Amino acid sequence: MRPKFKDESFRRAMRWFYQFLAKYKWKIVMGLVLVTITSILAIVNPRITGYIVDNIIGDGRDIGERFDLLPKALLLMIVVSLSQSLIRLIFLWNFETCSQDMLYDMRDGVYRSLLQKDFAFYNRNRTGDLMSRQTGDMMAIRHFVAFVIYNIYENALLFVIALVMIFSTDYRIGLAMITVLPITALMTYLQSKTIKPRFMHIRDRFSSLNAFVQENISGNRVVRAFAKEDYEIEKFDKENGMYRDAELDAAKVWTLYVPIFEVLASLLVVILMVVGGIMCIHGSMTLGNMVMINSYLWMLNNPLRMFGWLINDYQRFTTSVMKIYATVSEKPDIQNPRYPKSAKRIKGEVEFRDVSYKVEGEPILDHVSFHVQPGQTIGILGATGSGKTTIMNLICRFFDVTDGEVLIDGADVRDLQLHTLRDGIGLAMQDVFLFSDTIEGNIAYGDPECTFEQVEWAAKMADADGFIREMPDGYDTVVGERGIGLSGGQKQRISLARAILKKPAIVILDDTTSAVDMETESQIQHDLKCLENETVFIIAQRISSLKDADMILVVENGRITQQGTHEELVQQEGYYSTVFAHQYGDKAAG
Ligand SMILES: Nc1ncnc2c1ncn2[C@@H]1O[C@H](COP(=O)(O)OP(=O)(O)O)[C@@H](O)[C@H]1O
Ligand SMILES: [Mg+2]
């Protein structure tokens, strides 16, 4: 464990954790003061027991007078126990609230940081893993604050107190006792050492099981469609079995150590009986002291047994902090500029100046240049994988160019505030995502303050108003994950309405009408003409979707190979006229 402390990333992670804990520093100190008080009170009752044995019961003769003291002594014992319980109640509640409040802040911080991550981050990380940062790892941290901190302190304190009390009562019996302690300590060490890798294994298996379940639930339709239920069940059984075996593997260790610790605990009692008994017989120790020491034994034993578990909990806590911190501290490539160009609202001029975009040396876009004036409509045509979506991703600055510049209103997108940039863009993505919310909520996502009339306007523009009104609850129909299913074309139209609701300066429709029928599409094309001041990008596979555009770009293998209006392009030899011939067939020939 020692080299870990020297580790810079470990230190940084701990500092990050401490910044959340710092707010509750005084509450924790107060809690530890209360723990100190109960621990010190733990001395009292054994002493009273010893006193009762020696001074009240004594040799059992002439008990009459001394007997009156008994109720007082017992009352004191009860008062002490009750106070201990009361104080424990207070500090347990204290640590519990500290941990929950701290976790609230932490979850919030982690969530915020997840929202700031760029696309590349989400491409790299598995959903299941990111989920477990917010669940399992948070639990481990909470457990540390709520339980481990005070337990380490309390057990250490009780242990020292018990030693001091036993030695101050009789050092010889103290010496006899501590012969057993190294064995207990050794066992604790061995237990925690053997069980640690097994616990790590459990966690890996658990997270794997979780990821499996998550993927299967998300991909449930595919499983059904391919009738692969049996295959998936078999895979699941394997995961399930591995998780069970991991748990049993760990259980083998701890079940072995439980009886060992029991034996060691009884050994302390045996030593006390033998050594203490002999001393009592010889009169070098009173019976009361022996009884008193007997009631301190748990204070010696318990901490040693607990320590193995606490070390484990501590290690789980540090791993979790490091894991969360690694996620949080990952700096997104896409960040706000240090000195942003001040622009309240973008106007919609878009220029690509010799833009290249490479991934691991592979060119995705290759020297792409074009210039669009505000209010123009641009069509982009190209085969799947040619780089159309990438062009849009660069305009929104989801990625940064490798070479060249993307300019909005003459300013490099890297010099604009991300919020200004993206707030000025309405994007209907290729793979539509709807939140589990009402249709109205989904359309108004970009501007929750907007009026219902605006939502209705956007829906009408996207030719969605009609089918929305036919739904059981109209605009209040809940869609998305738990909502009712919509057809691909209906989802696309809702996503289109969402993109144009705010009348952003730039509207990007990435294959947004691919799943709607031709008639609906031509209606949408007609409606979109109302967007006179907006720059509109229409990415499509169908010529009909973009033939009215002011300019059409043809993308092939990451390059713009043709550029012009529909009339110009059909005249040229090339991809456009080929596609046109395919799609319009005889009409084109005629
Ligand atoms: N982040 C990325 N990492 C690796 N390859 C990518 C990435 N983004 C896009 N690509 C690749 O770039 C090519 C163009 O993708 P894309 O712009 O989505 O095409 P289109 O939208 O025209 O179908 C594809 O071959 C795709 O696999
Ligand atoms: Mg695409």
Side-chain angles (χ1 to χ4, degrees):
M1 233 172 50
R2 192 150 295 139
K4 231 177 170 185
F5 277 102
K6 292 192 186 116
D7 196 348
E8 183 54 32
S9 68
F10 173 80
R11 243 182 284 167
R12 246 188 255 137
M14 283 303 140
R15 260 202 299 273
W16 172 81
F17 161 75
Y18 186 71
Q19 128 210 339
F20 289 99
L21 191 68
K23 205 166 145 192
Y24 307 99
K25 169 171 78 184
W26 292 112
K27 282 187 89 175
I28 287 177
V29 169
M30 196 193 85
L32 292 180
V33 169
L34 294 180
V35 172
T36 316
I37 298 174
T38 45
S39 303
I40 290 171
L41 283 178
I43 303 171
V44 180
N45 281 353
R47 296 215 77 131
I48 298 176
T49 322
Y51 178 85
I52 291 174
V53 171
D54 278 349
N55 300 319
I56 297 179
I57 301 171
D59 54 8
R61 275 174 265 158
D62 301 328
I63 206 164
E65 217 173 278
R66 286 170 286 147
F67 193 75
D68 298 342
L69 284 171
L70 193 58
K72 281 182 197 150
L74 292 179
L75 188 67
L76 187 59
M77 280 177 86
I78 291 169
V79 169
V80 169
S81 292
L82 284 180
S83 326
Q84 274 183 297
S85 307
L86 185 66
I87 295 171
R88 185 165 289 272
L89 176 80
I90 297 170
F91 78 67
L92 283 180
W93 178 248
N94 176 62
F95 284 111
E96 193 63 33
T97 50
C98 278
S99 74
Q100 294 291 3
D101 288 344
M102 193 203 79
L103 216 67
Y104 175 88
D105 296 343
M106 198 179 256
R107 263 199 302 263
D108 203 58
V110 173
Y111 182 66
R112 273 161 206 271
S113 106
L114 283 178
L115 282 187
Q116 310 256 311
K117 301 295 185 200
D118 52 27
F119 276 32
F121 173 87
Y122 285 101
N123 285 346
R124 268 197 309 277
N125 290 285
R126 287 194 309 182
T127 314
D129 286 335
L130 294 178
M131 300 278 285
S132 64
R133 293 299 96 80
Q134 282 287 51
T135 51
D137 288 323
M138 288 282 172
M139 297 278 275
I141 293 179
R142 195 198 76 77
H143 179 69
F144 178 78
V145 177
F147 182 81
V148 180
I149 292 182
Y150 87 80
N151 257 284
I152 289 181
Y153 178 71
E154 185 179 34
N155 280 297
L157 201 61
L158 285 178
F159 186 75
V160 171
I161 289 175
L163 270 188
V164 169
M165 293 318 291
I166 294 172
F167 269 91
S168 67
T169 311
D170 196 309
Y171 74 94
R172 288 163 301 181
I173 200 111
L175 287 175
M177 292 276 129
I178 58 170
T179 52
V180 180
L181 299 187
I183 306 173
T184 317
L186 177 74
M187 288 302 153
T188 300
Y189 169 76
L190 287 179
Q191 180 198 20
S192 100
K193 206 177 114 140
T194 2
I195 213 160
K196 188 187 168 194
R198 287 159 208 247
F199 273 154
M200 303 268 262
H201 189 57
I202 289 181
R203 262 192 296 164
D204 289 346
R205 298 284 25 128
F206 185 67
S207 118
S208 173
L209 184 69
N210 259 347
F212 185 89
V213 172
Q214 188 237 335
E215 208 172 279
N216 257 266
I217 291 174
S218 311
N220 166 277
R221 282 154 210 252
V222 181
V223 176
R224 295 282 173 82
F226 285 82
K228 296 292 269 184
E229 287 94 339
D230 292 343
Y231 169 73
E232 292 296 333
I233 287 171
E234 205 175 291
K235 273 206 309 196
F236 179 78
D237 286 347
K238 216 178 267 173
E239 285 284 342
N240 199 4
M242 283 196 286
Y243 174 63
R244 178 201 50 201
D245 295 345
E247 285 280 10
L248 287 178
D249 221 28
K252 261 183 220 154
V253 177
W254 66 258
T255 48
L256 172 71
Y257 280 92
V258 168
I260 293 181
F261 285 120
E262 301 276 308
V263 170
L264 287 169
S266 338
L267 200 60
L268 280 182
V269 180
V270 170
I271 292 176
L272 179 68
M273 287 306 146
V274 174
V275 182
I278 291 170
M279 285 164 69
C280 279
I281 291 166
H282 288 285
S284 56
M285 186 164 77
T286 66
L287 204 55
N289 280 349
M290 191 165 143
V291 171
M292 179 174 79
I293 289 170
N294 188 43
S295 27
Y296 284 131
L297 288 186
W298 70 270
M299 285 165 67
L300 280 188
N301 242 322
N302 231 30
L304 286 174
R305 294 168 69 161
M306 280 292 284
F307 226 68
W309 295 104
L310 292 175
I311 288 172
N312 258 310
D313 287 346
Y314 173 76
Q315 282 166 343
R316 272 186 60 180
F317 154 76
T318 54
T319 338
S320 289
V321 171
M322 300 235 320
K323 273 190 184 166
I324 296 179
Y325 179 72
T327 310
V328 168
S329 63
E330 212 174 293
K331 284 265 174 298
D333 297 330
I334 308 297
Q335 292 201 30
N336 265 318
R338 198 177 286 234
Y339 305 107
K341 289 239 165 81
S342 66
K344 284 247 157 56
R345 243 185 101 79
I346 60 177
K347 291 191 199 69
E349 184 191 341
V350 179
E351 185 183 356
F352 269 50
R353 248 188 228 164
D354 202 26
V355 168
S356 293
Y357 176 68
K358 292 188 181 127
V359 176
E360 288 161 9
E362 281 295 304
I364 309 284
L365 286 184
D366 204 9
H367 301 287
V368 169
S369 298
F370 61 87
H371 196 156
V372 180
Q373 294 301 335
Q376 282 192 314
T377 299
I378 317 309
I380 300 183
L381 185 81
T384 317
S386 54
K388 305 180 301 290
T389 300
T390 308
I391 294 179
M392 299 306 123
N393 286 341
L394 293 178
I395 296 177
C396 302
R397 213 190 153 206
F398 293 140
F399 299 101
D400 274 335
V401 299
T402 322
D403 270 310
E405 274 179 298
V406 175
L407 305 158
I408 304 279
D409 299 344
D412 193 311
V413 284
R414 286 168 292 195
D415 292 331
L416 291 173
Q417 281 279 5
L418 285 171
H419 185 264
T420 312
L421 172 71
R422 292 177 187 163
D423 201 36
I425 300 177
L427 174 62
M429 296 199 194
Q430 198 169 0
D431 39 352
V432 178
F433 181 86
L434 297 180
F435 292 95
S436 332
D437 191 1
T438 60
I439 291 182
E440 185 184 351
N442 267 291
I443 295 178
Y445 187 68
D447 183 13
E449 307 283 283
C450 72
T451 62
F452 178 70
E453 281 67 38
Q454 279 170 283
V455 173
E456 209 179 12
W457 170 83
K460 279 186 177 146
M461 289 284 288
D463 206 35
D465 183 65
F467 81 79
I468 295 173
R469 291 201 179 275
E470 280 168 21
M471 303 238 133
D473 296 316
Y475 279 86
D476 295 327
T477 309
V478 174
V479 294
E481 238 192 316
R482 278 161 296 137
I484 65 159
L486 295 169
S487 79
Q490 290 171 332
K491 283 190 208 163
Q492 284 189 334
R493 281 180 276 167
I494 290 178
S495 128
L496 172 63
R498 175 167 66 187
I500 57 181
L501 173 93
K502 273 196 307 179
K503 295 196 181 173
I506 301 172
V507 175
I508 298 176
L509 310 178
D510 190 350
D511 250 336
T512 307
T513 48
S514 60
V516 301
D517 57 88
M518 296 286 241
E519 199 179 322
T520 312
E521 186 188 24
S522 88
Q523 185 61 44
I524 294 172
Q525 302 297 334
H526 180 262
D527 295 341
L528 287 180
K529 293 219 171 79
C530 299
L531 298 172
E532 280 175 355
N533 304 317
E534 289 80 4
T535 308
V536 182
F537 286 90
I538 300 175
I539 298 180
Q541 312 267 354
R542 283 205 298 246
I543 299 248
S544 61
S545 318
L546 41 73
K547 67 180 193 332
D548 294 332
D550 299 308
M551 177 168 70
I552 297 167
L553 308 172
V554 176
V555 188
E556 288 178 80
N557 291 324
R559 289 169 161 271
I560 293 185
T561 49
Q562 287 181 292
Q563 185 167 344
T565 61
H566 173 73
E567 281 69 30
E568 290 163 7
L569 292 175
V570 281
Q571 303 300 331
Q572 291 176 11
E573 280 284 311
Y575 184 77
Y576 194 88
S577 52
T578 313
V579 174
F580 182 68
H582 276 302
Q583 291 181 3
Y584 284 74
D586 297 337
K587 250 192 289 172

